[in-house]
Amino acid sequence: MPTPKQERTADMMRALGNPVRLAIMHYIVEHPGCIGNDLVVRFGRAQATISQHLAVLRRVGIIGAERDGHMTCYAVNEEAMIILLEEMQGLRSVAE
């Protein structure tokens, strides 16, 4: 049976399995801050579509969001990234 940590990791991996969400993550890492409208322009998607992708990433805890006036600022959740990296490192160890 999977552990709760493995369940959380699988949820995060499923979220990142979508190429648009993976690209959004790269963009957030490279451009931290208030970038909601930037994502719409960058990816040529509707605001609602980008919002839906951001909601999925937030729901699994990969990113956090903070309101700044009328804008929402997004940031990578470092703890979540550590969990993902540790899981990947554990799988790498098995392969060696």
Side-chain angles (χ1 to χ4, degrees), residues 34-42 47 50 70-72 74:
C34 303
I35 58 168
N37 290 333
D38 296 345
L39 291 169
V40 172
V41 172
R42 168 76 169 97
Q47 176 66 43
I50 295 297
H70 295 295
M71 300 181 75
T72 303
Y74 297 94

Side-chain angles (χ1 to χ4, degrees), residues 38-56:
D38 296 345
L39 291 169
V40 172
V41 172
R42 168 76 169 97
F43 295 104
R45 310 280 178 162
Q47 176 66 43
T49 300
I50 295 297
S51 293
Q52 186 178 30
H53 284 303
L54 290 167
V56 170

Side-chain angles (χ1 to χ4, degrees), residues 10-59:
D11 288 343
M12 289 188 284
M13 289 177 168
R14 275 190 289 276
L16 291 173
N18 179 288
V20 174
R21 287 195 286 269
L22 185 58
I24 287 171
M25 282 298 296
H26 280 279
Y27 192 86
I28 291 172
V29 167
E30 295 167 8
H31 305 90
C34 303
I35 58 168
N37 290 333
D38 296 345
L39 291 169
V40 172
V41 172
R42 168 76 169 97
F43 295 104
R45 310 280 178 162
Q47 176 66 43
T49 300
I50 295 297
S51 293
Q52 186 178 30
H53 284 303
L54 290 167
V56 170
L57 294 171
R58 287 180 65 193
R59 187 171 41 253

